[in-house]
Amino acid sequence: MKNVEIKTQIVVYDSVEELPYSVQELMNKAIETKRNAYAPYSKFKVGAALLLDNGKVITGNNQENAAYPSGMCAERVAIWKASSEYPNSKVIQLAISASSSTQITKEPVAPCGACRQTLSEYEIKQDNKIEVFFMGEVGKVIKTNSLLDLLPIAFDKSFL
């Protein structure tokens, strides 16, 4: 037996204003699309914006359904939309913003496990890291250099 230590590194910005201007614009797209999320049950809205290597920005927001498993997270809405519309483009950056109508979301909200798995598939497929920026409604923004920093031991097609 041996112990293996896995480390990940993040960058924490105190606010959106500290981000590079291009990332501020991407995060603002995530914030803007979050407003159109359909979240009548959880009251928790999420917006995602992807920057592609062709310069296009693809957005998505969470979509709930009374039959809870039928809903979809913002990140997966955005990545599947990007893959459908621009199948040969690579995702360069992902910005995520989340908020609740029942309280102010001050802590950064990372992608859920299902979104991490889905996004990792695209990062591995494109053989190019995806920078991920995520925040709550206000306050700090966390940046990872790769989606795999959030899911270091990923399940992928090599296991199939």
Side-chain angles (χ1 to χ4, degrees):
M1 180 185 95
K2 70 177 180 177
N3 289 323
V4 177
E5 186 174 329
I6 297 174
K7 293 183 179 182
T8 192
Q9 202 168 24
I10 64 171
V11 176
V12 181
Y13 296 89
D14 287 328
S15 69
V16 172
E17 291 76 26
E18 281 192 355
L19 296 169
Y21 182 72
S22 63
V23 179
Q24 286 182 37
E25 287 183 323
L26 191 64
M27 186 61 78
N28 286 335
K29 292 279 188 189
I31 292 167
E32 181 181 316
T33 197
K34 174 180 67 176
R35 294 183 185 117
N36 296 327
Y38 180 66
Y41 309 106
S42 70
K43 310 286 191 244
F44 191 74
K45 293 186 173 191
V46 181
L50 300 169
L51 174 64
L52 305 181
D53 64 354
N54 63 7
K56 300 285 185 186
V57 174
I58 305 298
T59 60
N61 49 45
N62 58 317
Q63 300 293 312
E64 293 182 349
N65 190 282
Y68 281 119
S70 300
M72 190 53 56
C73 298
E75 299 92 328
R76 285 182 280 163
V77 168
I79 195 76
W80 289 333
K81 183 178 174 184
S83 181
S84 175
E85 292 182 13
Y86 303 99
N88 299 315
S89 293
K90 293 182 178 183
V91 178
I92 305 300
Q93 294 175 323
L94 165 62
I96 305 162
S97 177
S99 61
S100 171
S101 63
T102 62
Q103 62 185 355
I104 295 175
T105 308
K106 296 177 183 176
E107 295 300 318
V109 178
C112 74
C115 287
R116 291 177 196 209
Q117 178 62 42
T118 300
L119 293 163
S120 74
E121 176 96 6
Y122 285 90
E123 184 172 279
I124 292 166
K125 176 182 131 184
Q126 70 183 23
D127 194 28
N128 195 60
K129 293 180 179 181
I130 301 171
E131 289 183 325
V132 182
F133 297 83
F134 54 94
M135 65 179 293
E137 183 177 0
V138 296
K140 292 181 170 61
V141 179
I142 292 178
K143 175 200 174 204
T144 65
N145 291 321
S146 168
L147 192 286
L148 293 175
D149 288 339
L150 295 171
L151 186 67
I153 304 174
F155 176 83
D156 65 27
K157 65 183 178 183
S158 70
F159 294 103
L160 302 177

